[in-house]
Amino acid sequence: MLKLAVLFLIAGLMLGALGFGGIGGAFVGIAKILFFVVAALFVIFLVLGVMAAKAAKDAVD
């Protein structure tokens, strides 16, 4: 999904440079949304991973 965000960002920048500001801005907006979704999922899975590792360590001890 991060690749898709980067793809939209690059496409938006290219479109903006070519004079298509409206659609370029939309692409950059989509890239921002995708980036924040990826960041939120990363934090959620990081917390879940830490909690699972702690639970596994407690189960072994």
Side-chain angles (χ1 to χ4, degrees):
M1 192 180 307
L2 190 57
K3 284 184 184 180
L4 193 59
V6 171
L7 179 70
F8 272 98
L9 179 64
I10 291 171
L13 292 174
M14 294 288 262
L15 287 169
L18 292 174
F20 300 102
I23 191 88
F27 271 58
V28 171
I30 292 170
K32 278 189 207 177
I33 292 169
L34 287 174
F35 176 76
F36 287 120
V37 167
V38 168
L41 287 173
F42 173 75
V43 169
I44 290 169
F45 284 122
L46 183 68
V47 169
L48 288 174
V50 168
M51 289 172 46
K54 186 176 180 184
K57 183 180 177 223
D58 290 342
V60 170
D61 289 340

